Amino acid sequence: MLDFYSISGEGIKKETRKGNWLAVSNPTEDEKEQLHNDYDLPKKFFSLGENYSNVSFFKKYQTEDKDPICLMRFINIESIDEPELLSSTVTIFLTSEVLITVSESPLIDEVLENYKSDITTKAGLILLTLQVINSHYLAFLRKQRETIEEISQGTSNGSNKTILEKTTHTEKNLVYIDNLLKEQRKTINHLLESSLVSSDRDLAIEIELQTKQATTSVQIYREMLGSISGLINSMMDNRLNQLMKFLNTASLLLALPTLIFSLWGINTGGLLWRDSEIGSIMVVLLALLISIVSGVYLFKKDYDA
């Protein structure tokens, strides 16, 4: 689908055919061919988002006719619950005459809904699109902070399968977002250092601060989650040690009566109570007494001292 707009000091106006901003989403093969012919786009322009979905990019080219063009790509997350599965790219082609954006329709709709009256330049449109993308990352990180708090409270009640699964899922998401933000921050810095956004410096500074906040937050949350993971591992090790202590103690307590019964089963003379009518009962009581005394001693003994 192709949507044409005109961006001027008076704002954005939708056009029927031509304009200085062309918003593209899910173009057909005929529309791709039309855009290649009309705007001299790179041959693999529309396949960039499909082939390199996790790579951000900014490059300024000087064409043969001395008319510079810019090609840039940014990564947007569409879900704060499954960012890896529901992420998309925004590919931007910029010349002095036209700005072409290739992205999912919901992103452009959100930009227009929130900032339509604020967009007066093509650079402003790019920066406000980045602002929307950054807001998605920040919303995701706020969600992760809440999840980390839930995990932290859950560990105080003891680790369980649900806490472990939530910790693993959160850590995977943070690793994915961390690498996306590192890559995207480089691209945004290249854009902000260029002359393209010289007329929107206030907005550019805000975008830079948003990006730094996102990259800093994800590092903090990864370290927090790493500390909690270490605590969970220590708790599991302690539980395992307690279980092994119990099993070893139980094995020893079972071994003591077995040893006594084995000794009294020797077919030789001289054994105590051999000729007694209550000899068997005495042996059982002796084994039971030794087991009880040993059990009390072993369970009260502090092995960590």
Side-chain angles (χ1 to χ4, degrees):
M1 183 173 66
L2 308 180
D3 292 320
F4 296 89
Y5 299 89
S6 292
I7 303 176
S8 64
E10 299 177 355
I12 293 181
K13 179 182 178 182
K14 190 165 186 178
E15 304 289 350
T16 57
R17 182 57 185 168
K18 293 292 183 179
N20 57 0
W21 172 31
L22 175 57
V24 182
S25 61
N26 300 320
T28 64
E29 293 300 325
D30 292 337
E31 289 174 337
K32 291 180 182 180
E33 186 65 26
Q34 174 190 340
L35 293 174
H36 279 302
N37 296 332
D38 292 348
Y39 300 102
D40 193 25
L41 296 177
K43 292 182 179 180
K44 295 186 178 181
F45 179 75
F46 292 102
S47 63
L48 293 177
E50 300 172 0
N51 298 335
Y52 310 100
S53 57
N54 295 326
V55 179
S56 186
F57 178 80
F58 175 86
K59 190 67 177 181
K60 193 172 184 179
Y61 295 96
Q62 188 71 38
T63 58
E64 295 179 357
D65 57 2
K66 306 303 180 183
D67 185 18
I69 62 172
C70 284
L71 182 63
M72 60 195 86
R73 294 180 68 254
F74 304 102
I75 306 168
N76 177 45
I77 56 174
E78 301 177 5
S79 170
I80 62 175
D81 296 318
E82 296 292 342
E84 188 174 0
L85 299 178
L86 295 174
S87 62
S88 62
T89 59
V90 182
T91 307
I92 300 175
F93 183 79
L94 176 64
T95 69
S96 57
E97 290 83 19
V98 65
L99 169 68
I100 301 175
T101 61
V102 181
S103 63
E104 298 293 334
S105 296
L107 176 63
I108 297 302
D109 293 341
E110 186 176 354
V111 173
L112 293 176
E113 180 181 355
N114 295 334
Y115 302 109
K116 185 174 182 179
S117 60
D118 299 327
I119 300 174
T120 57
T121 63
K122 289 182 284 188
L125 172 62
I126 296 173
L127 291 175
L128 288 172
T129 301
L130 281 175
Q131 192 167 44
V132 171
I133 292 174
N134 282 341
S135 70
H136 295 167
Y137 282 100
L138 294 174
F140 163 81
L141 292 173
R142 287 192 293 270
K143 176 68 174 178
Q144 302 313 300
R145 176 58 187 266
E146 295 174 1
T147 303
I148 291 173
E149 291 294 335
E150 293 175 3
I151 294 172
S152 178
Q153 293 177 2
T155 55
S156 62
N157 300 324
S159 59
N160 54 48
K161 183 179 180 181
T162 302
I163 294 297
L164 293 175
E165 289 177 348
K166 188 177 292 187
T167 302
T168 302
H169 181 71
T170 304
E171 189 170 7
K172 182 191 72 173
N173 284 341
L174 287 175
V175 169
Y176 177 73
I177 293 298
D178 186 17
N179 285 279
L180 287 190
L181 286 173
K182 286 179 181 178
E183 183 69 22
Q184 187 139 291
R185 183 175 178 179
K186 297 176 185 178
T187 303
I188 292 176
N189 288 339
H190 287 316
L191 172 63
L192 298 180
E193 291 169 0
S194 70
S195 59
L196 298 176
V197 295
S198 58
S199 60
D200 297 271
R201 297 311 305 174
D202 291 341
L203 184 55
I205 291 173
E206 185 174 357
I207 297 299
E208 185 175 9
L209 290 175
Q210 280 185 335
T211 306
K212 286 185 177 180
Q213 180 180 351
T215 53
T216 302
S217 296
V218 74
Q219 290 295 329
I220 293 174
Y221 296 160
R222 285 192 66 181
E223 292 181 7
M224 291 173 60
L225 191 61
S227 299
I228 295 174
S229 298
L231 175 60
I232 292 175
N233 291 334
S234 298
M235 293 174 62
M236 293 179 64
D237 290 341
N238 183 62
R239 282 189 174 186
L240 180 60
N241 290 336
Q242 293 296 327
L243 177 60
M244 294 304 297
K245 173 184 174 181
F246 172 80
L247 293 177
N248 289 334
T249 302
S251 298
L252 181 59
L253 293 180
L254 292 175
L256 289 175
T258 302
L259 176 62
I260 294 174
F261 294 149
S262 299
L263 291 175
W264 256 266
I266 299 175
N267 295 320
T268 58
L271 289 177
L272 186 63
W273 307 315
R274 179 180 180 184
D275 299 324
S276 174
E277 295 181 356
I278 59 172
S280 297
I281 297 176
M282 298 298 294
V283 172
V284 171
L285 291 176
L286 177 63
L288 182 61
L289 177 63
I290 293 176
S291 297
I292 292 175
V293 173
S294 300
V296 172
Y297 171 77
L298 291 174
F299 280 110
K300 285 187 174 182
K301 183 175 177 59
D302 185 6
Y303 291 94
D304 296 327

